[in-house]
Every structure is written in structure tokens, then in C-alpha cells.
Amino acid sequence: MGDGAYAWMWRFHLGDDTVSGTGVLEVRRGPGILGRIACAVLGLPRTCTAAPARVTVRRSRAAGPAAGETSILERWERRIGAQDLLSEQVRIGERGWEPHGPLEIRTRTVATPTEVNVVQEGAVVRIGRREFAVPKRLAPRVSAHAWVETGDRARMPPRFHIEVRVTAPLIGEVMSYRGHMDEEAQVRP
């Protein structure tokens, strides 16, 4: 991955260090009334064609659940338009766990030399130390795809494009966004 844009895309999604990027996103809330209500309750951004965006992924290392494993704790700080969205996840290699209250979304980040895909592997509900699998047909779904366009390969700062989609049973599409992220030279402490 000697290409700067591909290296930036990989560091953003699977790196061990804190990264930060800025860009522009087209945001779409789901078309149905239930989707609009879910977005309002969750404080998600409004539909807009060109929202300025800033994303910082703050990372720190911690001991993993198995001896010799290292897990990465990630705090995703997103500002899309005037809306702040915060989430945290734990990642070991390409596998991630992102809690939302008692619900935990489990993903796998698959990187090739030309793209990165975040694929949901499942969802569980945690009650104390116990967890219960959520049947696929009842679980919310999250997917993300990142890629580099031909014109971005020699661009400075490096840029990649992204598309994220969130759906839920009975609601359908809750929200999606699509746009690009340019690497910020320095991350604020």
C-alpha cells in the first residue's frame, strides 16, 4: 500500500493510532415516518446534500480477552453539519464490537488493496455478563464501504470516499451518508 490514498484509508479503518479527517457528506434520513422518528430520537443529522464533516478516531491499546492479545479501544467522534455523533468500539484485528446500551453490534472490517468494507456479523443483547444473540431479521444493520477514486491517488492530503448505511427492522433505512474524507495533518490531543 505505497499509494498515499490507500494507506490513509487503511490507517483510518484499521490502524492503531489516532487519526482525523475532514470532508463533505451527503446525508439522507430514511423516507418513512418511523425512520424520521428514529433519527430525531437518536439525534442523527438531518438530510442534506453537502454537510461539512470532521471525524476523529481516538485509539488506545488495552489487553485483549485472550493472553497475548491486544485490543484497540476506539472513540469515534463525528461532527456532521452541526450534529455531533459519538460512539465507542473495541477492535481486535479486523473484528469490532460497538455497544449501544445493552445492544452490541459486531462487525468485521475487510481490507483489500483497493477498498475497505465493514460487514456486520451479528448483534447481541448484553445483560450483565450474559449475552443473547439477536436474530438477524430483528437486528439493526450497519454497513460501510470505503474506496479510492482514480483522481484521488496523487492528491494531497490523501482522500478516500465512503458510504455508510443503517437499517432497522420495521423501519427500513434509518440513515445513510456518502462523501469523502481528507486526512488531517495533525490530530488535536
Side-chain angles (χ1 to χ4, degrees), residues 9-19 57-65 69-76 88-99 104-111 116-118:
M9 180 176 64
W10 189 90
R11 279 192 320 276
F12 186 88
H13 291 93
L14 285 166
D16 294 341
D17 298 318
T18 296
V19 293
V57 184
R58 297 190 191 282
R59 295 184 170 117
S60 59
R61 290 172 188 75
E69 267 185 336
T70 300
S71 61
I72 305 293
L73 306 176
E74 297 183 336
R75 179 177 167 86
W76 287 68
E88 294 182 348
Q89 71 173 300
V90 176
R91 185 172 50 80
I92 297 175
E94 63 182 23
R95 300 242 190 279
W97 300 264
E98 185 171 332
E104 182 177 274
I105 303 294
R106 295 185 173 173
T107 60
R108 184 169 50 97
T109 303
V110 180
V116 172
N117 288 291
V118 178

Side-chain angles (χ1 to χ4, degrees), residues 13-91:
H13 291 93
L14 285 166
D16 294 341
D17 298 318
T18 296
V19 293
S20 189
T22 59
V24 176
L25 300 174
E26 175 183 355
V27 179
R28 282 191 345 241
R29 283 185 169 186
I33 186 70
L34 293 176
R36 289 195 301 273
I37 291 170
C39 287
V41 168
L42 296 170
L44 299 175
R46 295 187 178 280
T47 296
C48 134
T49 57
R54 182 170 194 277
V55 179
T56 299
V57 184
R58 297 190 191 282
R59 295 184 170 117
S60 59
R61 290 172 188 75
E69 267 185 336
T70 300
S71 61
I72 305 293
L73 306 176
E74 297 183 336
R75 179 177 167 86
W76 287 68
E77 301 169 357
R78 303 168 186 90
R79 183 162 186 85
I80 302 173
Q83 193 66 47
D84 290 322
L85 301 171
L86 302 174
S87 63
E88 294 182 348
Q89 71 173 300
V90 176
R91 185 172 50 80

Side-chain angles (χ1 to χ4, degrees), residues 102-104 106 121-127 130-140:
L103 178 69
E104 182 177 274
R106 295 185 173 173
E121 292 192 319
V124 299
V125 172
R126 287 190 166 280
I127 300 173
R130 298 188 59 150
E131 62 182 49
F132 304 92
V134 177
K136 190 173 184 176
R137 70 186 190 295
L138 299 176

Side-chain angles (χ1 to χ4, degrees), residues 147-185:
W147 69 96
V148 173
E149 293 186 354
T150 305
D152 296 331
R153 294 192 63 193
R155 194 175 185 293
M156 291 305 285
R159 170 182 287 180
F160 66 86
H161 296 261
I162 189 161
E163 183 168 27
V164 174
R165 187 165 187 244
V166 179
T167 61
L170 303 175
I171 294 175
E173 185 172 294
V174 175
M175 184 185 82
S176 65
Y177 59 86
R178 177 184 180 101
H180 68 268
M181 280 284 121
D182 297 332
E183 183 176 24
E184 276 191 337

